Amino acid sequence: MPEPSISPMRSIIRRVIGALLALLATVLIVYAGRDGYRDSNGDGLSLLDSFYYATVSLSTTGYGDITPVSAVARLINVLIITPLRVLFLIVLVGTTLEVLTERSRQAFRIQKWRSKVRDHVVVVGFGTKGRSAVKTLLGDETVEPNRVVVVDTDQQALDAAAALGLVTVHGSATRSDVLRVAGVQRARAVVVATNRDDSAVLATLTAREMAPKAHIVASVREAENVHLLKQSGANQVVVSSETAGRLLGMATSTPVVVDMVEDLLTPESGLAIAERPVEPSEEGGSPRHLADIVLGVVRDGTLYRVDSAQVDAIEPGDQLLYVKKVTPADQIE
């Protein structure tokens, strides 16, 4: 779960400094009132004896060879040294207690989150593709940041995801126990955006086994591996290298077309491809005659292009893929 944290080394240094200050204060107090203490060898307290007494006293060892005998020394022990002893112990065991408390608190928060979360999105890999996928999800405003779970083995990538308010899980998505922590069995969608095709296949296979009803979208670098992803359970496979290659080829002859495609793929500005249900007033009509620019019709889970004969007439329950105006981004012209 996203949470601000302090560096472990910095925390340890602060605690060590606190312990040394408590020890030094005790030494100075004992040495200043050394006439009120009795040493077993009867030669009085030196500075070294003061360090020795402070150490065994604060650590609650207490050998008894040096003891306060005067009323003033005993009063100082009660009012000053005893609180310092408690403070010293708190500083020493504080790190351990903090770790145990934090682990328990984090485990409780994770358990509470896992018991309530439903229909969230699991993103496997937070590299370039994973970040873009999350940006699109959040840009559509259909998914809250705390309902996106990022699974990655790179701690820096997870830190970047946590900074966006996303839930993060450290580990390999090819392992079922890691995906179980991410709650993949209750997720509505899984985005597999790993850097390696073999990892994508294994992650998809594991996710499909744990979440039979989830919609799994996977990215693959090589087109020859598409069938492996689909056989592993991916509903859709995007070939990243070929898609980028097509855009590069188009840019050499029709750069404006590439600009339009990128505009359509950017949900937060300009134009965007969106999906909406058919309105009652549109039923029976042709999708080509609507005010919106309709690209396709989804009927019973099947996508038909707008010029297909099957969708000459819009039916109840159809979904329309259309071009939505988003604009802003400084009022794109």
Side-chain angles (χ1 to χ4, degrees):
M1 305 293 290
E3 181 178 289
S5 60
I6 188 172
S7 167
M9 183 58 65
R10 187 176 178 182
S11 178
I12 291 174
I13 292 174
R14 286 171 55 184
R15 294 183 183 280
V16 169
I17 292 175
L20 292 176
L21 290 176
L23 178 62
L24 182 60
T26 305
V27 171
L28 295 177
I29 291 171
V30 172
Y31 187 71
R34 57 188 179 278
D35 293 338
Y37 290 83
R38 181 177 61 194
D39 192 354
S40 59
N41 56 20
D43 59 356
L45 262 66
S46 64
L47 183 60
L48 179 59
D49 292 333
S50 298
F51 267 103
Y52 168 74
Y53 175 78
T55 303
V56 298
S57 179
L58 292 184
S59 63
T60 68
T61 304
Y63 294 114
D65 49 350
I66 299 177
T67 56
V69 293
S70 70
V72 175
R74 291 180 177 180
L75 183 62
I76 290 176
N77 263 264
V78 172
L79 298 180
I80 300 178
I81 295 182
T82 297
L84 285 173
R85 181 184 298 118
V86 174
L87 176 63
F88 187 81
L89 291 176
I90 290 175
V91 170
L92 284 182
V93 302
T95 302
T96 302
L97 290 177
E98 183 178 1
V99 169
L100 293 176
T101 303
E102 176 59 25
R103 286 183 179 178
S104 300
R105 187 157 57 99
Q106 186 77 336
F108 175 76
R109 293 177 64 203
I110 292 174
Q111 187 62 34
K112 183 179 179 181
W113 174 83
R114 290 178 61 190
S115 65
K116 291 184 177 181
V117 69
R118 294 288 189 281
D119 298 329
H120 57 294
V121 179
V122 177
V123 178
V124 177
F126 202 64
T128 303
K129 293 180 289 185
R131 291 169 193 253
S132 298
V134 169
K135 183 179 180 181
T136 301
L137 286 171
L138 301 181
D140 289 340
E141 297 182 353
T142 57
V143 181
E144 295 295 328
N146 61 1
R147 300 188 69 81
V148 177
V149 183
V150 174
V151 181
D152 206 311
T153 55
D154 185 354
Q155 188 57 49
Q156 290 185 340
L158 295 179
D159 292 341
L164 297 175
L166 312 179
V167 181
T168 61
V169 176
H170 186 276
S172 173
T174 60
R175 296 175 51 184
S176 59
D177 56 337
V178 173
L179 291 181
R180 189 173 292 108
V181 173
V184 73
Q185 62 272 27
R186 295 183 298 274
R188 71 171 175 85
V190 180
V191 177
V192 181
T194 59
N195 294 324
R196 294 166 52 101
D197 288 359
D198 54 349
S199 299
V201 172
L202 290 174
T204 302
L205 190 63
T206 307
R208 176 55 70 201
E209 182 181 10
M210 299 180 63
K213 297 182 179 179
H215 186 80
I216 300 179
V217 182
S219 170
V220 68
R221 298 173 65 88
E222 302 296 336
E224 61 186 19
N225 295 324
V226 170
H227 72 286
L228 295 177
L229 267 299
K230 290 189 174 181
Q231 288 177 1
S232 299
N235 298 97
Q236 290 176 296
V237 180
V238 177
V239 184
S240 57
S241 58
E242 286 196 358
T243 302
R246 292 192 192 98
L247 292 176
L248 289 173
M250 292 168 58
T252 61
S253 56
T254 55
V256 179
V257 175
V258 176
D259 292 339
M260 180 57 66
V261 171
E262 290 185 342
D263 185 14
L264 291 173
L265 294 177
T266 306
E268 65 270 10
S269 63
L271 302 175
I273 300 176
E275 182 178 350
R276 68 171 178 85
V278 171
E279 298 179 2
S281 60
E282 298 171 338
E283 295 176 3
S286 171
R288 295 186 292 274
H289 298 157
L290 298 180
D292 293 325
I293 302 175
V294 179
L295 302 177
V297 178
V298 180
R299 178 176 297 166
D300 299 327
T302 302
L303 173 63
Y304 298 96
R305 293 189 315 185
V306 70
D307 60 349
S308 176
Q310 289 92 329
V311 291
D312 279 341
I314 299 175
E315 298 180 0
D318 286 350
Q319 295 282 329
L320 301 180
L321 294 182
Y322 72 105
V323 178
K324 178 177 67 173
K325 294 181 180 179
V326 183
T327 313
D330 297 332
Q331 303 299 321
I332 297 177
E333 297 181 357

